[in-house]
Amino acid sequence: MILQYVTTGATKTRIMYSAYLSYAQLKEYLGFLLERDLVRYEEGSGLYKLSERGMKVLEGYEGISDMIALDGRKHVNNSLYNFA
């Protein structure tokens, strides 16, 4: 996920290779993220970085991902139940 790659800052090239995207895909996705204030671009460093709003979205995504993990475990009320 692009939001994970820009957490500490990344160039277009680093994002493109890390996310296995073509340049056309990268431009489209970065435009989408910039428009929604999920990512910001720093002129001086040339890096794309996660915005505060982007951090909230990433945290929500990671929380949902943990809840629906396919490893047979589900977190409920801070307890871990194994359904295998």
Side-chain angles (χ1 to χ4, degrees):
M1 170 182 255
I2 294 175
L3 296 180
Q4 293 169 322
Y5 301 126
V6 300
T7 301
T8 57
T11 63
K12 276 186 180 181
T13 304
R14 176 61 52 205
I15 299 166
M16 189 171 72
Y17 287 119
S18 297
Y20 301 101
L21 298 172
S22 69
Y23 185 70
Q25 290 171 315
L26 177 70
K27 283 179 26 179
E28 182 179 343
Y29 295 152
L30 279 179
F32 176 88
L33 295 171
L34 287 165
E35 287 174 8
R36 286 157 181 80
D37 191 35
L38 300 174
V39 170
R40 59 185 166 82
Y41 179 72
E42 290 188 349
E43 291 285 336
S45 65
L47 296 176
Y48 289 86
K49 292 191 174 184
L50 196 59
S51 68
E52 201 170 310
R53 185 173 182 200
M55 182 60 77
K56 290 177 185 177
V57 169
L58 182 58
E59 288 170 355
Y61 167 80
E62 289 174 346
I64 291 170
S65 182
D66 287 346
M67 284 188 272
I68 62 171
L70 297 177
D71 65 357
R73 298 177 183 196
K74 183 176 178 181
H75 296 278
V76 179
N77 297 329
N78 295 326
S79 297
L80 188 63
Y81 295 94
N82 191 347
F83 294 101

